[in-house]
Amino acid sequence: QITQFSSEYVTSGMVEVRQQQSPAEFQAEQSRWREQGVETVECSETDLQTTFPFIGTTAVSGIQPAYYQPQFAHVRNPRHLKNLTTACLSLGATIIEHSPVEQFVLTGERLTQVKSARGSFAADQFVLATGAWSGHLSSQFSSSSPQLPQLPVTPVKGQLVLLKLPSRQFAPVIQQGLRYVVPRLDGHVLVGSTEEHTGFDKSSSADGVANLLQFAISLVPQLKEAELVTHWAGLRPHAPAGIPYLGRWPGLSNLMVACGHYRNGLQMSPITAHLIAQLAMGEQPEFDLSPYSPARTINQ
């Protein structure tokens, strides 16, 4: 409840458009959404032209299947993070930034200290939740669980572009597989995202930005007139089969792991935090975490 400004949680709806997807695959995808209780309405070419006229006619004619999810919602990620930070600080949390971990100190079956560039930190419970760097850091716990290899969490670069229109020209998010166009309330438009296996390189490239701009304009021609505000890249933490790691580290009684959420970190953050908090408090998690256990890497 303690926030500086709106996180811009908006129920905008979402149009999913595809090209060259078989009817059987498309129907199966819609069925999976409906089985999960997500309202999903199939759209014909006429539906797209009538209901979503901001999608270009050239794009519509090239789109084979499409569907609309009216309950789809999104937040403005940077503002959401700032509000979360403010709330944590107001509850007594201490956030120490720009302090990379240098060493873990183990005593028997417990992690007792984390050494960093800005000092050592002791605690009763620890959580390894370091995104794309979690795999590298997990290798330091091999002495506690010799049979458990380094977590296979790897970085995947995603480039993004931020555009600006004079005002909000359309409301729904438009997705095409792994790429998306997200209109903000103030006229900004977020365009993403690439998937690049380039290690820990976070640089943008001219080719990546150009491809994202071409994609956005092909779907919404009026974005050709938009201002290019900025572009950047981030690293998503990819785990095998897209299944994150949640649970206690085998061999260490006070270390928990929460990583490998890949493209779903924001969506899964509330339930992840809830379950990890239950573990930290010595409670039984309300969901079975065995499918997400770090120990599953033994058999991978």
Side-chain angles (χ1 to χ4, degrees):
Q1 299 296 320
I2 304 171
T3 58
Q4 292 177 311
F5 38 72
S6 172
S7 293
E8 290 190 17
Y9 181 91
V10 178
T11 303
S12 63
M14 184 274 292
V15 187
E16 178 75 43
V17 296
R18 296 289 174 81
Q19 294 173 328
Q20 300 176 344
Q21 184 178 31
S22 73
E25 291 176 335
F26 178 61
Q27 293 299 331
E29 181 176 317
Q30 291 187 89
S31 296
R32 287 193 295 271
W33 281 119
R34 292 177 180 129
E35 288 169 1
Q36 297 177 53
V38 179
E39 183 180 356
T40 302
V41 182
E42 187 169 346
C43 298
S44 65
E45 181 175 331
T46 301
D47 294 331
L48 289 176
Q49 291 174 332
T50 303
T51 310
F52 310 106
F54 50 85
I55 299 178
T57 55
T58 301
V60 169
S61 63
I63 293 169
Q64 300 302 318
Y67 58 77
Y68 177 59
Q69 294 180 336
Q71 299 171 339
F72 187 94
H74 59 90
V75 298
R76 199 156 181 168
N77 305 18
R79 297 187 180 185
H80 180 70
L81 179 58
K82 288 181 179 179
N83 285 331
L84 179 61
T85 300
T86 299
C88 289
L89 292 173
S90 71
L91 293 172
T94 300
I95 299 175
I96 301 172
E97 298 182 294
H98 312 297
S99 184
V101 171
E102 296 176 344
Q103 183 185 357
F104 297 103
V105 180
L106 307 179
T107 303
E109 295 184 350
R110 290 183 63 82
L111 173 59
T112 55
Q113 281 190 343
V114 174
K115 294 185 176 182
S116 77
R118 296 182 60 181
S120 298
F121 302 92
D124 291 329
Q125 300 287 331
F126 294 84
V127 182
L128 180 69
T130 49
W133 289 265
S134 298
H136 170 70
L137 289 174
S138 71
S139 64
Q140 297 192 39
F141 303 120
S142 58
S143 61
S144 66
S145 304
Q147 81 282 9
L148 189 61
Q150 173 178 318
L151 289 179
V153 176
T154 54
V156 180
K157 179 165 72 174
Q159 297 190 51
L160 300 102
V161 168
L162 185 65
L163 306 176
K164 181 69 167 68
L165 291 168
S167 62
R168 192 186 192 198
Q169 305 293 309
F170 57 99
V173 171
I174 311 172
Q175 288 191 170
Q176 188 175 72
L178 299 176
R179 297 185 296 178
Y180 47 81
V181 176
V182 183
R184 303 300 193 190
L185 295 178
D186 61 2
H188 283 91
V189 179
L190 180 68
V191 182
S193 164
T194 65
E195 287 194 346
E196 305 170 57
H197 296 267
T198 56
F200 288 93
D201 171 31
K202 291 176 63 177
S203 61
S204 295
S205 68
D207 185 58
V209 171
N211 286 337
L212 289 173
L213 291 174
Q214 182 181 20
F215 158 72
I217 294 170
S218 70
L219 281 183
V220 185
Q222 68 192 100
L223 290 178
K224 182 168 54 178
E225 307 300 326
E227 172 192 354
L228 174 59
V229 178
T230 188
H231 56 83
W232 69 97
L235 300 177
R236 294 187 172 102
H238 181 268
I243 300 174
Y245 291 102
L246 298 173
R248 290 200 175 274
W249 186 271
L252 289 175
S253 61
N254 65 332
L255 174 64
M256 294 156 286
V257 175
C259 62
H261 293 70
Y262 198 36
R263 298 177 67 106
N264 298 310
L266 179 65
Q267 296 95 315
M268 297 178 70
S269 59
I271 187 61
T272 295
H274 180 66
L275 294 170
I276 293 297
Q278 288 182 316
L279 280 178
M281 296 298 292
E283 302 172 3
Q284 180 67 32
E286 58 191 89
F287 297 109
D288 178 18
L289 295 182
S290 58
Y292 310 98
S293 169
R296 77 177 196 262
T297 58
I298 297 173
N299 301 317
Q300 287 177 347

